[in-house]
Amino acid sequence: MVYELLTSNGLERYYELAKTAGGSGPAKAIEPKESYGYLDDPEFRKRYGRDDDCAMDFYLEGVENRSWLVRMGLAGACAGNIMLMSIPLYARVEGSLAAVFRWLSLVLFVPVIAYSAVPFYVSALTSIRTRTISIDLPIVLAIVFGTLASVAHLFSGSEHIYFDSLSALVFLLLASRYVLRRIQQNALRSSHLAQFLTPSYARRVDSASGRVDEVAVEALKAGDLVAVGPGEVVPVDGVVCRGSSSVNCALLTGESLPVEVATGSPVFSGTVNGGSGLVVEMLASGAGTKLGRILRQIQDGSANKAPIVTAADRLAKWFLLAVIAAA
């Protein structure tokens, strides 16, 4: 049955990988710390499931980055080789050898202009459609006119070609955009930091029967009882209604020494239960917790632009128009 499932889904390569792994049998699977039982919770499936209630979409990070790295790597490799061929041309090599170097430079420049520079074309077209001016518009104009001039000079036999400069321009712009992109991604990740600092599920206790169910934190309501085991992160803000323990509050207070809690003591989301098990009556979850409010203040502070930045953005449009007109 396993073989039929693998072959029907195009996974025959599994057997090749199994052979290359040494043939010592299947490796022991790593048991996850979470049971993921909350994925079957009706409230969770209602909130995040598709229409058929049996499928969910999960976000895979880092794939938009791979495309940028490929474009940047290709541009860098081609630019480096074109510059190597340009050295003899700058040294006044003449004859058939110079012609070979010039034509090879064009061949290596084609992937740069046809693939690596595509993000600049898309951004420039978008700015034209929206009737706005972006920095990519003069960049595209420089690439297009520089390429046309270089190709015309190449066919006319002139020595003035600019494939090395244009490829280096594309590479450097892609590299700078990639660095900026990573900074923006880190800022976006910090705005959703609560998802990584607090668990996405909780163990809800039925006060009548004592039954414990694993549910999504979003499904909890004020007054629900939540079980927090030793070493677990407290998923909500609440009050201890059963048990006593020591809680590490370093995430919120910076204090490394644990705080003793007992019945009636407040506990907060993101703190770690370091002692015995607790039962907590929930008061707030998600953005309503103390940690959620702190992170929201951080996000609001990073999102608001300073007045000088706003003024610079307004002046940049007129500056770009003046640069294009002067060019």
Side-chain angles (χ1 to χ4, degrees), residues 7-49:
T7 54
S8 62
N9 289 277
L11 300 176
E12 300 89 347
R13 192 166 177 265
Y14 162 79
Y15 295 101
E16 299 178 10
L17 295 174
K19 292 180 181 179
T20 57
S24 58
K28 184 178 180 180
I30 300 176
E31 297 182 1
K33 296 180 180 180
E34 299 183 17
S35 63
Y36 300 102
Y38 64 94
L39 295 177
D40 295 324
D41 179 62
E43 288 293 330
F44 187 87
R45 296 198 303 183
K46 181 180 179 181
R47 184 185 295 264
Y48 298 106

Side-chain angles (χ1 to χ4, degrees), residues 76-160:
C78 292
N81 284 280
I82 293 174
M83 288 180 179
L84 288 176
M85 295 185 204
S86 300
I87 294 176
L89 297 177
Y90 292 139
R92 311 303 298 176
V93 171
E94 299 178 352
S96 59
L97 187 59
V100 170
F101 285 144
R102 293 191 182 98
W103 282 100
L104 285 177
S105 298
L106 173 61
V107 172
L108 289 173
F109 181 67
V110 169
V112 177
I113 192 175
Y115 176 71
S116 296
V118 167
F120 304 119
Y121 307 149
V122 175
S123 178
L125 288 175
T126 302
S127 65
I128 293 175
R129 289 171 184 163
T130 57
R131 296 181 179 180
T132 59
I133 299 297
S134 70
I135 189 62
D136 288 329
L137 187 57
I139 289 174
V140 170
L141 290 176
I143 293 174
V144 171
F145 286 113
T147 301
L148 293 176
S150 298
V151 172
H153 291 167
L154 182 63
F155 277 94
S156 64
S158 174
E159 61 182 15
H160 299 292

Side-chain angles (χ1 to χ4, degrees), residues 1 20 24 68 122 152 154-155 171 174 186 190 201 216 227 253 257:
M1 181 177 179
T20 57
S24 58
W68 274 84
V122 175
L154 182 63
F155 277 94
F171 169 69
L174 286 174
N186 291 333
S190 65
Y201 71 98
T253 65
L257 295 178

Side-chain angles (χ1 to χ4, degrees), residues 33 40 56 61 63 68 71 78 101-102 127 140 149 156 190 212 214 222 227 230 237 244 249 261 272 314:
K33 296 180 180 180
D40 295 324
M56 296 180 185
E61 294 182 299
V63 177
W68 274 84
R71 295 182 191 276
C78 292
F101 285 144
R102 293 191 182 98
S127 65
V140 170
S156 64
S190 65
V212 179
E214 193 175 278
D237 284 3
S244 61
C249 302
V261 296
V272 181
R314 290 197 303 265

Side-chain angles (χ1 to χ4, degrees), residues 3 22 25 36 38 54 65 81 93 107 116 121 152 199 207 281 288 291 301 310 318-319 323:
Y3 176 79
Y36 300 102
Y38 64 94
C54 295
N65 292 338
N81 284 280
V93 171
V107 172
S116 296
Y121 307 149
S207 57
E281 180 181 354
L291 177 62
T310 305
W318 298 104
F319 176 75
V323 170

